[in-house]
Amino acid sequence: MAAATMAASGPILKGRSAIVTGSTSGIGLGIARSLAAAGANIMLNGFGDKAEIEKTRSSVGSEFNVKCIYSGADMSKGEQIADMVQTAERDLGSVDILVNNAGIQHVAPIEEFPLAKWDAIIAINLSAAFHSIRAAIPGMKKRKFGRIINVASAHGLVASPFKSAYVAAKHGIVGLTKVIALEGAEDGITSNAICPGYVWTPLVEKQIDDQAKSHGISREQVIRDVLLAPQAMKRFATSEEMGALAVFLSSDAAASLTGASIPVDGGWTAH
Ligand code: NAD
């Protein structure tokens, strides 16, 4: 049993290199740590306190004995995304695994939805994946191996009120995931989307007050009656659970799994 566990969690990604966008926090950091634990070299990306980021970078590298670098590229800027991919190719040797995870949220009825928020959500949650895939796929095609993992959402499969931009972007990324699965199919490249339900991260924490305002209810009611209401299991999923799935999708065992949008949502989309 112990040997089987070790085999499953051992360095199955040794020699691979991964970019994880938006990995200074939440799900992205969970995925980056899981990929590193499986032996992959990592490029972290995202915003935050410089000293904290440097601490994370050096601890991921030393804890898992992998190379870990950081890019501060802004995922709303196409040229910065292309530069980030080029830097990873140069400093890690390749980009074998690309995890498009960076994302933001805004909750408001459509008639009050700020125009700038619509633009930012579409840019960061959808267009960024187009730019990063566009830059990373030539190297993957050359090496005949690639794993593209888009962190979509249960909101890539179903809708909720007051999340027009987010739901539109997440449905868009589910479509993009399928297109890339077809384009990469003969070159050893898979493309899949992870569709989490609610995971307790700063992104969720920050929307509770807006949800309370939009629905006209308290914070406690938001957690019970809005966030966990559709999740049959009545629990938040964890970043580590998303990381474990990302490791599997990155592995050789998942070579035929492509074009899929996989719900990790406690039964939300089973309704
Ligand atoms: P988070 O707020 O904890 O982390 C978001 C990350 O994205 C951070 O590292 C942040 O710095 C980075 N980021 C934001 N804007 C950026 C930009 N312009 N350029 C570069 N980096 C940027 O959020 P999270 O909950 O971990 O969300 C991660 C992903 O998971 C998002 O795509 C989100 O839509 C998706 N998701 C989250 C949940 C959930 O319940 N938390 C559920 C479904 C899907």
Side-chain angles (χ1 to χ4, degrees):
M1 176 64 192
T5 311
M6 274 189 59
S9 60
I12 58 173
L13 302 180
K14 203 168 172 49
R16 304 283 189 210
S17 294
I19 298 176
V20 185
T21 72
S23 48
T24 52
S25 167
I27 294 172
L29 182 53
I31 291 177
R33 287 181 55 81
S34 298
L35 294 175
N41 298 316
I42 303 291
M43 174 181 263
L44 297 171
N45 158 260
F47 296 155
D49 177 74
K50 273 198 165 54
E52 275 300 309
I53 293 173
E54 174 49 25
K55 215 162 87 187
T56 305
R57 188 203 61 74
S58 91
S59 74
V60 168
S62 58
E63 189 177 342
F64 302 112
N65 195 24
V66 296
K67 188 163 182 185
C68 184
I69 61 176
Y70 165 74
S71 160
D74 181 341
M75 291 301 108
S76 67
K77 307 270 186 313
E79 325 80 71
Q80 292 190 26
I81 296 170
D83 279 356
M84 172 187 75
V85 172
Q86 233 177 37
T87 304
E89 294 261 2
R90 188 191 63 215
D91 294 353
L92 298 179
S94 61
V95 176
D96 307 299
I97 302 161
L98 170 64
V99 182
N100 290 304
N101 165 81
I104 58 168
Q105 175 63 283
H106 189 77
V107 180
I110 192 151
E111 62 273 31
E112 293 164 21
F113 210 92
L115 301 183
K117 287 284 182 197
W118 169 274
D119 289 344
I121 290 174
I122 298 298
I124 296 164
N125 296 21
L126 176 58
S127 302
F130 161 77
H131 289 292
S132 65
I133 295 168
R134 185 174 182 277
I137 214 156
M140 292 178 173
K141 283 189 172 170
K142 211 162 32 184
R143 291 184 296 271
K144 299 286 178 205
F145 182 91
R147 294 288 187 265
I148 291 163
I149 300 171
N150 296 320
V151 179
S153 168
H155 282 121
L157 305 170
V158 295
S160 293
F162 314 128
K163 293 189 171 178
S164 51
Y166 188 84
V167 170
K170 295 300 187 181
H171 275 65
I173 206 152
V174 164
L176 177 65
T177 300
K178 294 179 193 173
V179 172
I180 303 307
L182 298 179
E183 292 194 22
E186 293 184 27
D187 289 302
I189 299 167
T190 69
S191 166
N192 292 289
I194 297 178
C195 298
Y198 282 105
V199 182
W200 191 260
T201 67
L203 179 137
V204 168
E205 171 70 39
K206 275 185 249 154
Q207 71 178 274
I208 291 181
D209 288 333
D210 290 344
Q211 289 265 22
K213 193 166 149 241
S214 294
H215 288 273
I217 56 178
S218 69
R219 282 176 61 90
E220 293 65 36
Q221 285 171 310
V222 168
I223 293 172
R224 191 191 62 223
D225 300 337
V226 179
L227 302 189
L228 291 182
Q231 297 202 181
M233 289 182 166
K234 304 297 174 208
R235 66 182 281 275
F236 289 95
T238 67
S239 296
E240 289 74 20
E241 290 166 8
M242 305 308 148
L245 178 54
V247 169
F248 174 67
L249 289 173
S250 301
S251 72
D252 290 340
S256 296
L257 206 176
T258 197
S261 298
I262 303 168
V264 192
D265 63 5
W268 178 342
T269 54
H271 284 288

